[in-house]
Amino acid sequence: MMLKNPLIKKYAYFGLIPSIFFLSILAYPFVQGAYLTFTNWNGFGYTKVIGFPNYLHAVQDPVFWSTIWFTVKFVIGSVIAVNAVAFGLALLVTSKLKSSNVFRTFFFIPNLIGGIALGVIWQFIFNNILTGLSHKFALPFFKSSLLGTTGGAYWALILVTVWQSSGYMMIIYITGLVSIDNEVLEAAKVDGASALRTLWNIKMPLMVQAFTISLFLTLRNGFMAYDVNLSLTGGGPFRTTELVSMHVYNEAFSYGHFGSGQAKAVIMFIFVALAALLQVGVSKRLEANS
């Protein structure tokens, strides 16, 4: 009945603006990119539909699969480490600690530093400061730079990612912790529950939603990581620490293989979508059972 009002009918079309914006900015480029995987597009000129050779090239590229494997290891390590540290920081700053607001600000600041600058800063720390301290004080741990070996560079990427992202995830966990009803915590205290038992049996089940959000964000950030990878390791040594985002970029823009590069991007999108759906599904099930 209200749609018969001429003013409502006149301005109702403005409700289509978000949908049009989505279709033009996100959906159309995605569909066009998927179409280009079936062509011989060189990035500039004429395109011809050739079928599946780009996908065949992608799945037959051993470097691509080694990149995916390294990315999966990086995602697993970063998701576990970031969330563990972030949850620990959230517990710390929500305890009865003096100057907790100062600590919150201090822990959150690294998230404000851009990935390129962050990688450059930590590259200097790994290559100069830590090795210099090792030689000066005869420390065996950092005689050579972590970035010089594949294993060391992997842990360097994890460390920098934790340092950058844990402050942001801490805010989400703080929100989950402060939303718990104090009466529930007081009842547990009266019943004689220890701090550890209260944390495990009461606090964590009541903040499953915070875990769902944080795990999803860290999972997404891990698969999309590019800037820190570029500035910290550059994919070295010998492309052994090249994450999939950097690999796709190099395939298209460094080597000029636009079709196969786009095909690899589509394959990776499928991997990420399936992983995200699995994670959200499991988390939602735990949330429903809590």
Side-chain angles (χ1 to χ4, degrees):
M1 294 295 293
M2 294 183 63
L3 291 177
K4 293 181 178 180
N5 189 314
L7 288 177
I8 294 178
K9 291 178 65 177
K10 181 178 179 180
Y11 294 104
Y13 294 104
F14 285 102
L16 296 175
I17 292 178
S19 299
I20 296 173
F21 179 80
F22 173 79
L23 290 174
S24 60
I25 302 299
L26 296 176
Y28 174 73
F30 178 82
V31 173
Q32 185 186 38
Y35 164 74
L36 290 175
T37 62
F38 299 102
T39 70
N40 63 344
W41 185 56
N42 61 4
F44 302 98
Y46 174 77
T47 59
K48 179 182 178 182
V49 176
I50 58 174
F52 293 92
N54 290 323
Y55 287 97
L56 292 175
H57 179 271
V59 298
Q60 293 174 356
D61 184 3
V63 178
F64 177 55
W65 290 109
S66 65
T67 299
I68 288 181
W69 173 237
F70 182 79
T71 303
V72 170
K73 291 194 297 182
F74 169 76
V75 169
I76 293 173
S78 63
V79 166
I80 294 173
V82 168
N83 284 281
V85 172
F87 186 62
L89 294 178
L91 290 174
L92 176 65
V93 299
T94 54
S95 62
K96 295 179 181 180
L97 185 68
K98 293 182 179 179
S99 304
S100 61
N101 290 331
V102 176
F103 283 108
R104 294 185 191 190
T105 304
F106 178 77
F107 294 142
F108 184 77
I109 285 177
N111 185 73
L112 304 177
I113 304 175
I116 296 295
L118 197 68
V120 171
I121 292 170
W122 277 92
Q123 188 181 73
F124 178 79
I125 292 173
F126 287 129
N127 291 340
N128 297 277
I129 295 179
L130 292 181
T131 54
L133 290 175
S134 177
H135 289 298
K136 184 174 182 179
F137 297 102
L139 300 175
F141 305 108
F142 301 106
K143 286 185 177 181
S144 58
S145 173
L146 284 178
L147 304 180
T149 63
T150 302
Y154 168 79
W155 290 110
L157 282 169
I158 296 292
L159 175 62
V160 175
T161 301
V162 170
W163 192 77
Q164 181 187 33
S165 303
S166 58
Y168 184 86
M169 301 305 158
M170 174 193 71
I171 301 299
I172 299 175
Y173 286 124
I174 289 174
T175 304
L177 287 169
V178 299
S179 65
I180 299 174
D181 193 345
N182 284 328
E183 293 183 0
V184 177
L185 300 179
E186 290 295 332
K189 186 176 181 180
V190 170
D191 290 339
S194 63
L196 182 61
R197 191 174 183 83
T198 301
L199 173 64
W200 184 258
N201 292 332
I202 297 177
K203 289 184 177 181
M204 292 181 68
L206 290 177
M207 53 183 298
V208 174
Q209 190 173 13
F211 284 105
T212 300
I213 296 172
S214 298
L215 288 172
F216 175 79
L217 290 176
T218 48
L219 185 74
R220 183 205 64 177
N221 294 341
F223 279 111
M224 293 175 58
Y226 175 77
D227 47 5
V228 172
N229 188 203
L230 175 66
S231 57
L232 185 64
T233 69
F238 307 108
R239 300 184 68 183
T240 55
T241 62
E242 190 176 78
L243 295 175
V244 71
S245 295
M246 177 181 288
H247 178 83
V248 169
Y249 178 89
N250 289 337
E251 181 77 8
F253 297 101
S254 297
Y255 311 133
H257 303 153
F258 291 94
S260 60
Q262 186 66 25
K264 291 177 179 180
V266 171
I267 293 172
M268 198 58 211
F269 169 79
I270 295 173
F271 272 105
V272 176
L274 292 175
L277 289 173
L278 177 63
Q279 179 266 313
V280 172
V282 172
S283 299
K284 286 296 183 181
R285 181 173 298 180
L286 292 174
E287 184 177 339
N289 294 333
S290 62

